[in-house]
Amino acid sequence: MSPHTEPPMNQYLMSSYKPLQVAFESGQGAWLTDREGDRYLDALSGIAVCGLGHAHPLLQQALADQAGRLLHTSNLYRIPLQEKLAQRLVAIAGMNKVFFCNSGAEANEAAIKIARLYGHIKNTHEPVIIVAEGSFHGRTMATLSASGNAKVQAGFEPLLTGFRHVPYNDPDVIETILSHENGIVAVMLEPIQGEGGINIPDGGYLKSVRELCNAHDVLLILDEIQTGLCRTGKWFAFQHEGIIPDIMTVAKALGNGVPIGACMARGKAADLIQPGSHGSTFGGNPLAARAALTVLDVLEGEELAQQAAAIGQLMLTRFEKDLATVRGVVAVRGCGLMIGIELDRDCGELVARALRQRLLINVTAGRVIRLLPPLIITEKEALLIVDLVGRLIREFLQQE
């Protein structure tokens, strides 16, 4: 059965997206319902945003209550909910201070600005941040320049200077640069590259980079926008390595759909932002802060990190078994509920094929099927995703 035909895109919208021809009216848990009443199993969570699934009752109640109280005052005044949220986040993450904004790109912009401030107080007039090939940090000019993806950078040249791209998962290259070049102020990495294809580094990689940053007095920035908030089976992906960064960014799942981002810092990076050096009109407003506090309550109360680890391992094991002998499957990899299946060819058409089967998936880096189901997903729903995706892959690879 094919999804219902939707009217053409609104002529007044800029063509920045090419959405699939379906529009959703409501959601419940891991399921979305379109305007015709058909239900779809969501294995993408709004790109790792809706970790609590759709219409979680506690979040629904909190948002309705807060909307009836106060939405926004600006950061010209104290916001008690924001202060409470900051206290909760630094306790969970082991950081010291937080700057709130509205998106992951903005959180990364703040991190980049902090790194540059750090360089200037060290009399480094042209500070450079080491970043990884295959990375994605956002679409603002600074985060676009930091990203190691030529496709998303095309047409926006000249890019900003101050970034040095190196191979991902290779601490030796970072060590060589830090040992022989001046002006390096930070290393900025994703613990797992999401947009790059669910690229999971070797065990010990982040720990090695942490040690190098310590030895050379540079900051370690970790972009946890896609990996953070229980997605990988721990609160934050860096916790798998037993380290802690100097700066960390989160967004996506923090508001479960309400726009909010956060840049956290500790130690020598925590006090570099001062009044007038950075800001955000909407960042951390009462509605967004209330949403994020509720998300943290649910993540903790329902033990969703443990659930993500268990269900994710179940899915990964089943995929590895079911696809082990399928020619054309290059690799199956994952950490928690962040799973990638790499094929030997481009497979973007699988997104539309899955939609026809009432399943929402994503393909990134051309040939990697990316699965980011909500953390509240049941074992039965998870295995249904495995069965549907496995069937789609086998049919796709056998067609030639």
Side-chain angles (χ1 to χ4, degrees):
M1 185 185 299
S2 298
H4 305 282
T5 302
E6 290 289 332
M9 278 285 288
N10 190 303
Q11 62 178 315
Y12 304 109
L13 290 174
M14 288 190 184
S15 301
S16 51
Y17 305 103
K18 191 177 180 181
L20 295 164
Q21 291 302 304
V22 62
F24 298 110
E25 288 282 301
S26 64
Q28 188 67 51
W31 296 84
L32 285 165
T33 303
D34 70 11
R35 299 194 295 185
E36 301 296 328
D38 291 322
R39 298 174 75 234
Y40 297 72
L41 182 52
D42 186 359
L44 189 58
S45 306
I47 318 178
V49 168
C50 299
L52 308 188
H54 305 285
H56 192 285
L58 293 182
L59 183 59
Q60 187 177 0
Q61 294 165 15
L63 292 175
D65 179 72
Q66 191 61 42
R69 292 171 179 267
L70 185 66
L71 294 179
H72 178 79
T73 60
S74 88
N75 285 293
L76 294 176
Y77 315 99
R78 289 184 64 176
I79 304 173
L81 286 168
Q82 180 189 110
E83 294 173 9
K84 183 179 179 181
L85 176 60
Q87 184 178 10
R88 289 281 302 278
L89 282 173
V90 299
I92 293 169
M95 307 300 277
N96 295 139
K97 293 189 177 180
V98 187
F99 171 80
F100 289 108
C101 50
N102 313 286
S103 68
E106 290 175 73
N108 282 336
E109 283 277 342
I112 291 166
K113 290 179 75 172
I114 291 171
R116 289 192 171 190
L117 285 171
Y118 179 68
H120 284 288
I121 66 169
K122 294 176 64 179
N123 293 317
T124 301
H125 301 297
E126 295 185 3
V128 175
I129 300 173
I130 294 175
V131 289
E133 296 169 0
S135 62
F136 181 81
H137 297 294
R139 293 185 183 273
T140 61
M141 280 309 301
T143 57
L144 191 70
S145 301
S147 297
N149 185 330
K151 184 179 292 186
V152 300
Q153 294 170 338
F156 298 105
E157 301 85 356
L159 301 175
L160 298 186
T161 59
F163 299 100
R164 176 72 182 275
H165 290 85
V166 302
Y168 188 62
N169 196 27
D170 190 342
D172 293 340
V173 174
I174 294 175
E175 181 177 22
T176 298
I177 293 172
L178 291 175
S179 299
H180 296 92
E181 297 184 19
N182 297 320
I184 307 298
V185 297
V187 179
M188 183 175 187
L189 299 169
E190 297 161 275
I192 297 172
Q193 291 187 334
E195 300 294 325
I198 314 296
N199 298 320
I200 302 174
D202 296 334
Y205 171 62
L206 292 180
K207 187 175 182 180
S208 295
V209 176
R210 172 72 277 179
E211 292 170 352
L212 289 169
C213 289
N214 291 343
H216 293 273
D217 194 26
V218 303
L219 302 176
L220 175 61
I221 305 170
L222 291 183
D223 176 344
E224 291 256 13
I225 289 161
Q226 192 163 143
T227 56
L229 299 163
C230 303
R231 172 60 54 185
T232 68
K234 290 187 178 292
W235 275 102
F236 302 103
F238 70 77
Q239 293 169 336
H240 290 284
E241 293 262 320
I243 64 161
I244 189 165
D246 300 295
I247 303 172
M248 178 180 63
T249 57
V250 295
K252 285 189 179 293
L254 184 56
N256 208 69
V258 175
I260 183 171
C263 176
M264 291 179 260
R266 71 179 183 99
K268 55 195 173 187
D271 295 312
L272 294 173
I273 293 289
Q274 293 294 313
S277 61
H278 199 48
S280 170
T281 298
F282 296 105
N285 73 17
L287 183 69
R290 180 75 180 274
L293 281 165
T294 305
V295 167
L296 296 182
D297 286 343
V298 176
L299 289 174
E300 186 173 37
E302 297 187 9
E303 299 184 335
L304 292 183
Q306 296 93 317
Q307 179 161 326
I311 298 292
Q313 186 58 54
L314 173 68
M315 294 180 70
L316 190 64
T317 300
R318 182 66 66 88
F319 271 128
E320 289 173 338
K321 178 182 177 183
D322 292 353
L323 300 175
T325 61
V326 178
R327 293 184 58 186
V329 175
V330 175
V332 177
R333 46 186 179 260
C335 185
L337 284 172
M338 190 173 186
I339 296 171
I341 303 167
E342 183 177 353
L343 306 186
D344 64 358
R345 67 203 72 176
D346 286 348
C347 59
E349 67 184 78
L350 283 177
V351 174
R353 290 192 184 196
L355 188 69
R356 291 194 288 271
Q357 299 298 317
R358 303 288 186 262
L359 175 68
L360 306 183
I361 65 170
N362 178 244
V363 169
T364 191
R367 59 182 192 176
V368 179
I369 300 156
R370 176 170 54 167
L371 302 174
L372 301 162
L375 308 183
I376 50 83
I377 196 166
T378 66
E379 181 175 319
K380 182 178 179 181
E381 291 164 340
L383 293 177
L384 179 56
I385 292 171
V386 173
D387 290 342
L388 289 172
V389 171
R391 188 187 315 151
L392 285 165
I393 289 172
R394 285 188 290 271
E395 290 174 354
F396 173 71
L397 292 173
Q398 290 169 3
Q399 70 184 7
E400 296 182 5

